[in-house]
Amino acid sequence: MTGAERRRRGRAGGSPAARYLLLLVVLALTVGPFLWQLSTSLKGPGEDLYRFPPSLLPEHPTLGNYAAVARVIPVWDFALNSLQVAVANVLTNCAGAALAGYALARLRFRGRRVVVVVFVMAMLVPVESIMIAQFMAMRQLRLNDTLVGVVLPGCVGAMNVLLMRNAFAALPYEVEEAAFVDGANAWQRFVRIALPSVRGTLAVVAVFAFMGAWDDFLWPLIVLSDQSKFTLTVGLNSLHGTFADNQRLVAAGSVIAVLPLIVLFAGLQRFFFRGVEEGAVKG
């Protein structure tokens, strides 16, 4: 490599110190708010939350704020409701998106390209613009104020279908052709050949579906009225009104809501990053 090439690469990539500084800034912006909430949730009643300069490490760490949240609201019942909704959303999205994606990528039928365009257009529609229609449909089906009514509108996401479609489309046709020659039908080729080859993309769909269902606030707030059926995000919202002056409890509730997502991503990160490459949306 000549000196001119090294200088061009240095100008293009910048110095290592500048790159590391940029990474630290991004890390502080993304992880910093969670660390602050975690620190606040562990601080005792005698510590000043608004001191300057702020202190990230609690002087006397305590788990009493988490116990106080559980005493004030049935947080574990809310968490169980959210877990049921999230698991159902993961199962329906993984199954539905895999079946639809395989059909769009590997099967030949009239109107296939039109269906793909419809899924792309569905991603452009704001969810808020169709919530009234969704609520009316749930009421007509007598599913309002039920967890099934919370799950049903998002049971198969358009983005997840397109992810699975692109993952299946990237598989070589020769393997399926060999199975077809051996007498395998479409269902056998899907279950035994195609599906095991896109496990990474399935992990991406599972993470997206779980996060979307677990973090969803507006739709459960609209469709649910019985407190015993509240999801965690709706139930924790009462902390902001009842204990607006006690940010320790609000922070503890926020940490309780975030921890399952961290555990899920930590367990599936190996498949997640592999799946992002498998199911990347191509032009």
Side-chain angles (χ1 to χ4, degrees):
M1 183 185 297
T2 64
E5 291 176 345
R6 285 195 294 267
R7 286 193 296 271
R8 282 197 299 270
R9 289 195 175 185
R11 287 194 296 269
S15 65
R19 291 198 296 268
Y20 285 124
L21 179 61
L22 179 61
L23 288 175
L24 288 175
V25 172
V26 173
L27 181 65
L29 292 175
T30 54
V31 183
F34 172 74
L35 293 179
W36 181 256
Q37 288 288 81
L38 179 62
S39 172
T40 303
S41 69
L42 296 175
K43 290 181 178 179
E47 297 187 51
D48 185 8
L49 302 181
Y50 306 102
R51 58 180 295 185
F52 186 84
S55 175
L56 184 62
L57 297 178
E59 297 178 0
H60 306 287
T62 177
L63 296 177
N65 297 320
Y66 294 92
V69 171
R71 286 194 302 268
V72 172
I73 61 174
V75 64
W76 305 121
D77 293 337
F78 296 157
L80 180 60
N81 292 337
S82 288
L83 183 61
Q84 294 178 44
V85 171
V87 170
N89 205 46
V90 168
L91 294 177
T92 55
N93 270 278
C94 286
L99 290 169
Y102 182 80
L104 293 174
R106 314 301 275 192
L107 303 183
R108 298 291 183 264
F109 57 91
R110 183 175 298 179
R112 186 179 62 162
R113 294 182 181 275
V114 176
V115 175
V116 174
V117 173
V118 169
F119 274 107
V120 174
M121 293 178 63
M123 294 171 52
L124 305 178
V125 178
V127 178
E128 293 79 7
S129 65
I130 60 174
M131 277 193 170
I132 296 178
Q134 288 181 347
F135 178 77
M136 297 298 293
M138 293 301 106
R139 192 172 67 175
Q140 290 294 327
L141 295 172
R142 297 184 180 181
L143 293 177
N144 57 310
D145 203 20
T146 65
L147 295 182
V148 176
V150 177
V151 174
L152 194 58
C155 61
V156 180
M159 170 61 82
N160 296 332
V161 172
L162 294 177
L163 284 174
M164 296 303 303
R165 180 251 181 193
N166 285 308
F168 285 124
L171 300 178
Y173 279 90
E174 291 77 9
V175 178
E176 282 199 59
E177 289 175 354
F180 179 77
V181 172
D182 290 339
N185 57 33
W187 177 256
Q188 290 171 330
R189 298 196 302 271
F190 168 71
V191 173
R192 298 181 181 179
I193 297 175
L195 197 58
S197 302
V198 294
R199 287 177 296 181
T201 307
L202 273 177
V204 174
V205 171
V207 171
F208 284 168
F210 191 96
M211 289 177 59
W214 187 271
D215 288 338
D216 193 14
F217 171 74
L218 184 57
W219 175 244
L221 180 66
I222 293 174
V223 78
L224 296 176
S225 56
D226 185 358
Q227 184 177 356
S228 65
K229 299 175 183 177
F230 280 179
T231 57
L232 188 59
T233 51
V234 177
L236 290 177
N237 185 56
S238 60
L239 291 176
H240 291 277
T242 307
F243 294 96
D245 59 337
N246 194 342
Q247 293 299 318
R248 297 172 181 83
L249 298 189
V250 176
S254 301
V255 173
I256 292 174
V258 170
L259 281 179
L261 300 178
I262 297 176
V263 172
L264 177 70
F265 184 78
L268 296 179
Q269 62 175 332
R270 179 167 60 93
F271 299 101
F272 181 86
F273 289 113
R274 188 177 70 185
V276 170
E277 299 178 359
E278 288 178 357
V281 177
K282 301 176 184 177

